[in-house]
Amino acid sequence: MKALKLTLLGVLFSSTLFAQSENIINVHNRSVTSLNGEWKFLIDPYENGFYNYRLNAFDEMGNPPRSAYFTDSKQYDKTELLEYDWDTSPTIKVPGDWNHQDPRLQYYEGSIWYRKKFTYSKTYDRSRIFIHFGAVNYRADVYFNGVKLGRHIGGFTPFQYEVTDLIKEENSLVLMVNNNRKPEAVPTVNTDWWNFGGITRDVLVVETPETFIKDYLIQLDPNDPNSIRGYIQIDGEIPSQKVSISIPEAKLNIDFVTDSDGFGTFTIPTKKIEKWTPENPKLYDVVISTQQNKVIDEIGFRTVQTKGADILLNGEPVFLRGISIHEEVPYRVGRAASEEDAELLLGWAKELGCNFVRLAHYPHNEHMIRKANEMGIMLWEEVPVYWTIHWENPETYANAAAQLEAMIQRDKNSAATIIWSLANETPVSEPRNEFLHKFSKLARSLDKSRLLSAAMEVHTEPGKPLEFIVEDKLAEYVDIVSFNEYIGWYNGLPDKTLQSSWKVPYDKPVFISEFGAGAKAGFHADSLTRFSEEYQADLYTKTLQMVENIPNLRGFSPWILTDFRSPRRQLSGIQDGWNRKGLIGDQGEKKQAYFILQEYYQNKSKN
Ligand code: GCU
């Protein structure tokens, strides 16, 4: 019931006109046709393709005028007045933000239309067809062969629509994408990252049998490491199906029948299953099959919990040697959405000596999650409940909840994912505490098997500027007490780290989710010159000494692996629209601090 309610929430929130179907899990391993590549686009700051000159929205559901861009009309003869023609419009790459693909769009915030024309022929007559979007930032109105499928809000989570009854030989898929920042949105209007707009992740046509395996949870029972448990959700005309789950390499299998809602749970006793760990990221082929459908997934099996101040992976204490990452790669500007991008970023993290990565500040693309499972990198995943969102607005909560649900629904089988984070640096208030308390309960109702955290803030008491305190109601709602601290950058100079003392009054694991300093790669000076590599290196050296004094510390994810784009960073000749706290510069240059952290992690991993 809960899942259904939350799905309704998701549908309600995205105010779709056509049933936005709950996402098909493990979508890349289904029978898919990629729509990635060149799409047509139209820049539409006045939303002229959506409203007439009296600002009346074109009738999306009935009989829209041919001037509406989503009708994809062609002049029927030379006399017809049409002020657009998709076939002669310019092209843009999908996936990819528009900001870095056209100099006119670097700072553009508004609406841009996309159109993809494609032919399709079903493999089987009775197949069902879905259009699946990895993510579109920030709001998407989706039309298929002139029919409005729906509107999706939220820039970093997948969504899809069923188009079985609309697909033809020749098809026109049209989106109006809008990335205007809004106070009530999630995130709100102020962030420290670039507002990359557009279809920023894969677009897939998914073909399934008429009745198919839509969703499943398959994981080691958190309360019994000698059994694998979970559920299967079938979708289609014959919901009650015999389902077989097998893990051939472990010689495990089980058959059961789903109920009239297509739902069934299972438990498989496992005498010996190789646990997933960063040192040995064992993934098993799991085969789920029914009469009409077979799905193969690669799943790792592990348990994660806390015990007092310890984080236990498969029952053993673990120290999280982390680094934070935005979804951007150096060498080019823009969203990083490919498997190669994931390999590059996670490869650097591995080389740094990391066993953990904080995927900041929003759900990253699925390639990152899958690659981390393969490479043995534990993950912190989060939704963009960031800074000053509107805590008292029910729509804001519904938006955040829909994003949390979509992230957990997509990644619930990811062994690498050990932490869901609820918020980042949110100013303490009663409405914020209520929002996050309710949000924490939602997260636990969606997934009891992972740990909750949030990036809290540090404060000091009057007259004691060197005693740093982490004390926040939010710490009671989560399993790991995490905080961002910038002593030596936003608060004094690096020496201040060595004068500091810490008070974190919780019998829980403590984690530093951010520390760091800016440095322009290649800029060298003394260690007190801001933005020199020497300053950043000195901050890291001193912070890595300071952390030894923090009670219950079980890891950290310094800010940040690579420089990233931010309109807040205006220092000409040094920042130029880049946040320079990366250990790696925007052309892939490793700064001095990279090697300081690398040496620390190499020593840490030995003991
Ligand atoms: C904050 C925030 C980051 C930001 C960083 C900075 O902690 O969480 O998103 O980029 O500080 O100021 O560089």
Side-chain angles (χ1 to χ4, degrees), residues 191-193 326 358 360-361 382 386-387 424-425 455-457 484-486 489-490 513-518 559-560 564 566 568-569 579-581:
T191 67
D192 188 25
W193 68 80
H326 257 302
R358 176 188 178 197
H361 280 298
E382 68 185 70
Y386 181 96
W387 288 357
N424 180 73
E425 283 192 358
M456 293 167 248
E457 294 193 297
N484 299 345
E485 66 83 10
Y486 282 94
W489 184 256
Y490 293 123
S513 30
E514 290 180 34
F515 69 77
W559 194 256
I560 184 168
F564 62 94
S566 169
R568 307 172 75 89
R569 309 300 172 174
N579 182 311
R580 294 292 186 193
K581 295 190 184 68

Side-chain angles (χ1 to χ4, degrees), residues 204-448:
L204 303 170
V205 182
V206 190
E207 181 165 346
T208 73
E210 188 181 15
T211 296
F212 70 101
I213 300 156
K214 177 168 71 176
D215 190 16
Y216 50 83
L217 171 72
I218 301 178
Q219 63 178 189
L220 214 50
D221 185 332
N223 305 314
D224 173 9
N226 295 317
S227 73
I228 289 172
R229 59 130 206 211
Y231 65 74
I232 301 288
Q233 181 63 61
I234 302 285
D235 184 301
E237 295 298 304
I238 317 162
S240 183
Q241 294 258 330
K242 177 177 166 262
V243 179
S244 298
I245 299 177
S246 78
I247 309 177
E249 190 187 342
K251 300 185 178 49
L252 294 174
N253 55 65
I254 188 166
D255 292 349
F256 60 95
V257 179
T258 50
D259 64 19
S260 57
D261 293 327
F263 185 77
T265 59
F266 64 88
T267 299
I268 314 173
T270 54
K271 294 170 204 50
K272 200 178 89 50
I273 194 114
E274 209 172 318
K275 299 294 190 308
W276 185 93
T277 67
E279 299 71 27
N280 176 33
K282 176 68 183 168
L283 297 176
Y284 285 89
D285 278 350
V286 179
V287 184
I288 309 133
S289 48
T290 61
Q291 207 180 343
Q292 296 186 11
N293 192 203
K294 181 163 99 169
V295 179
I296 297 178
D297 203 343
E298 290 183 292
I299 298 180
F301 297 99
R302 56 99 188 102
T303 61
V304 64
Q305 64 243 106
T306 61
K307 189 176 174 198
D310 281 335
I311 300 169
L312 304 179
L313 184 74
N314 302 316
E316 297 296 321
V318 66
F319 186 89
L320 305 181
R321 307 188 308 271
I323 191 73
S324 293
I325 291 187
H326 257 302
E327 194 180 52
E328 288 182 46
V329 284
Y331 310 121
R332 71 164 204 274
V333 175
R335 280 282 165 247
S338 69
E339 194 169 349
E340 295 70 32
D341 292 335
E343 272 166 0
L344 177 66
L345 291 169
L346 295 174
W348 271 327
K350 204 81 182 158
E351 193 188 297
L352 190 54
C354 296
N355 62 359
F356 182 83
V357 162
R358 176 188 178 197
L359 298 181
H361 280 298
Y362 35 75
H364 285 218
N365 67 81
E366 195 169 1
H367 297 297
M368 282 294 271
I369 309 324
R370 294 271 169 184
K371 203 47 76 180
N373 276 277
E374 290 168 24
M375 296 171 70
I377 296 176
M378 293 177 280
L379 296 175
W380 158 312
E381 293 194 47
E382 68 185 70
V383 286
V385 173
Y386 181 96
W387 288 357
T388 55
I389 68 160
H390 284 197
W391 307 110
E392 298 178 86
N393 181 331
E395 260 207 39
T396 302
Y397 181 83
N399 184 344
Q403 293 188 44
L404 180 73
E405 190 208 353
M407 175 176 74
I408 293 177
Q409 198 267 354
R410 186 191 71 180
D411 299 339
K412 59 183 174 289
N413 294 312
S414 159
T417 304
I418 61 167
I419 295 170
W420 304 120
S421 176
L422 305 175
N424 180 73
E425 283 192 358
T426 51
V428 176
S429 70
E430 206 33 56
R432 169 265 200 183
N433 291 349
E434 280 165 34
F435 181 108
L436 291 178
H437 192 195
K438 186 175 163 189
F439 204 45
S440 68
K441 287 189 240 176
L442 171 62
R444 293 206 194 279
S445 72
L446 289 166
D447 180 3
K448 293 176 178 54

Side-chain angles (χ1 to χ4, degrees), residues 52-299:
N52 66 19
Y53 78 115
R54 289 288 184 251
L55 205 56
N56 300 319
F58 292 135
D59 173 6
E60 297 175 303
M61 301 307 286
N63 182 19
R66 289 166 54 81
S67 53
Y69 298 165
F70 56 82
T71 63
D72 193 352
S73 301
K74 288 288 284 181
Q75 210 186 5
Y76 50 63
D77 70 28
K78 65 183 179 186
T79 66
E80 181 184 16
L81 172 61
L82 267 186
E83 296 182 87
Y84 74 100
D85 177 340
W86 276 116
D87 295 333
T88 59
S89 296
T91 61
I92 191 168
K93 276 195 185 52
V94 167
D97 56 277
W98 61 59
N99 310 74
H100 84 279
Q101 293 195 60
D102 181 323
R104 297 171 296 168
L105 302 177
Q106 185 182 15
Y107 286 90
Y108 181 76
E109 293 185 313
S111 287
I112 284 190
W113 290 85
Y114 287 76
R115 196 275 323 251
K116 182 74 176 180
K117 228 179 170 70
F118 65 97
T119 59
Y120 195 83
S121 53
K122 286 183 178 181
T123 313
Y124 304 102
D125 272 354
R126 299 177 65 81
S127 292
R128 294 169 65 185
I129 309 294
F130 300 82
I131 308 277
H132 180 97
F133 298 89
V136 178
N137 189 45
Y138 173 79
R139 188 194 75 205
D141 285 276
V142 185
Y143 306 84
F144 190 68
N145 295 333
V147 174
K148 175 76 178 268
L149 298 182
R151 165 173 284 190
H152 181 268
I153 291 174
F156 303 97
T157 45
F159 60 101
Q160 68 183 46
Y161 296 99
E162 181 162 6
V163 293
T164 308
D165 301 335
L166 297 170
I167 195 121
K168 298 187 290 194
E169 179 70 24
E170 279 278 332
N171 299 282
S172 161
L173 175 60
V174 175
L175 279 78
M176 178 170 80
V177 178
N178 179 280
N179 74 333
N180 282 124
R181 289 167 291 115
K182 292 190 166 56
E184 72 280 6
V186 179
T188 182
V189 293
N190 57 327
T191 67
D192 188 25
W193 68 80
W194 208 272
N195 179 25
F196 288 117
I199 305 178
T200 50
R201 294 182 190 163
D202 297 335
V203 183
L204 303 170
V205 182
V206 190
E207 181 165 346
T208 73
E210 188 181 15
T211 296
F212 70 101
I213 300 156
K214 177 168 71 176
D215 190 16
Y216 50 83
L217 171 72
I218 301 178
Q219 63 178 189
L220 214 50
D221 185 332
N223 305 314
D224 173 9
N226 295 317
S227 73
I228 289 172
R229 59 130 206 211
Y231 65 74
I232 301 288
Q233 181 63 61
I234 302 285
D235 184 301
E237 295 298 304
I238 317 162
S240 183
Q241 294 258 330
K242 177 177 166 262
V243 179
S244 298
I245 299 177
S246 78
I247 309 177
E249 190 187 342
K251 300 185 178 49
L252 294 174
N253 55 65
I254 188 166
D255 292 349
F256 60 95
V257 179
T258 50
D259 64 19
S260 57
D261 293 327
F263 185 77
T265 59
F266 64 88
T267 299
I268 314 173
T270 54
K271 294 170 204 50
K272 200 178 89 50
I273 194 114
E274 209 172 318
K275 299 294 190 308
W276 185 93
T277 67
E279 299 71 27
N280 176 33
K282 176 68 183 168
L283 297 176
Y284 285 89
D285 278 350
V286 179
V287 184
I288 309 133
S289 48
T290 61
Q291 207 180 343
Q292 296 186 11
N293 192 203
K294 181 163 99 169
V295 179
I296 297 178
D297 203 343
E298 290 183 292
I299 298 180

